Amino acid sequence: MQKKKLTIKRRTALVVQRHVHEFEGSTKLAEEGADRHNHRFAGVTGQAIRVGTSHVHEIDLTHTDFLNHFHNLKKIRTGPAISVGKGKHVHFVTGQTTLNDGHVHQFNFATLINAPLV
């Protein structure tokens, strides 16, 4: 009796990585008097999320810079792509930090250009 050769077919899922953007910014001032301060932050967005004819990115930043306390930028979504020419784009971002030390900070900034050297 001849043994049958077992053939295993493997399916590989094609995973496509969409683009991300670097970003950096500063919060607006919060609190009064000697406690008045802001925070700086930097990071990389999540991958592009298709929305209609454009896309957005999610920002989930664990910590701003330290000034006796931290703030997070949690579940923030960018606005849609804004063309800057030659197929490149940025995104405008607005929102507020998490509450810490009894206050929040407002912020707005633009992401850096996607793939600036490509």
Side-chain angles (χ1 to χ4, degrees):
M1 178 179 209
Q2 190 175 10
K3 289 186 178 181
K4 289 187 177 180
K5 195 172 194 178
L6 181 61
T7 304
I8 299 173
K9 291 185 179 180
R10 292 187 180 158
R11 291 186 179 189
T12 56
L14 180 61
V15 177
V16 177
Q17 181 167 338
R18 296 169 304 270
H19 72 277
V20 296
H21 293 262
E22 297 168 290
F23 63 87
E24 60 183 0
S26 296
T27 65
K28 293 184 179 183
L29 293 167
E31 297 197 291
E32 299 297 326
D35 288 337
R36 194 155 173 84
H37 68 281
N38 73 332
H39 295 265
R40 295 181 303 170
F41 52 86
V44 177
T45 68
Q47 294 187 45
I49 302 165
R50 177 69 50 200
V51 174
T53 59
S54 188
H55 67 278
V56 297
H57 297 267
E58 192 167 276
I59 294 174
D60 197 359
L61 184 66
T62 304
H63 291 107
T64 59
D65 71 325
F66 178 74
L67 182 66
N68 298 324
H69 64 277
F70 294 105
H71 292 276
N72 300 333
L73 279 65
K74 302 295 283 179
K75 302 289 183 189
I76 303 294
R77 282 214 167 170
T78 70
I82 301 167
S83 175
V84 294
K86 298 187 179 181
K88 303 293 182 183
H89 68 275
V90 297
H91 297 266
F92 187 69
V93 186
T94 187
Q96 75 177 25
T97 65
T98 54
L99 176 69
N100 196 342
D101 195 28
H103 66 275
V104 297
H105 293 267
Q106 303 296 318
F107 59 81
N108 53 37
F109 62 92
T111 64
L112 300 179
I113 295 172
N114 63 309
L117 300 178
V118 181

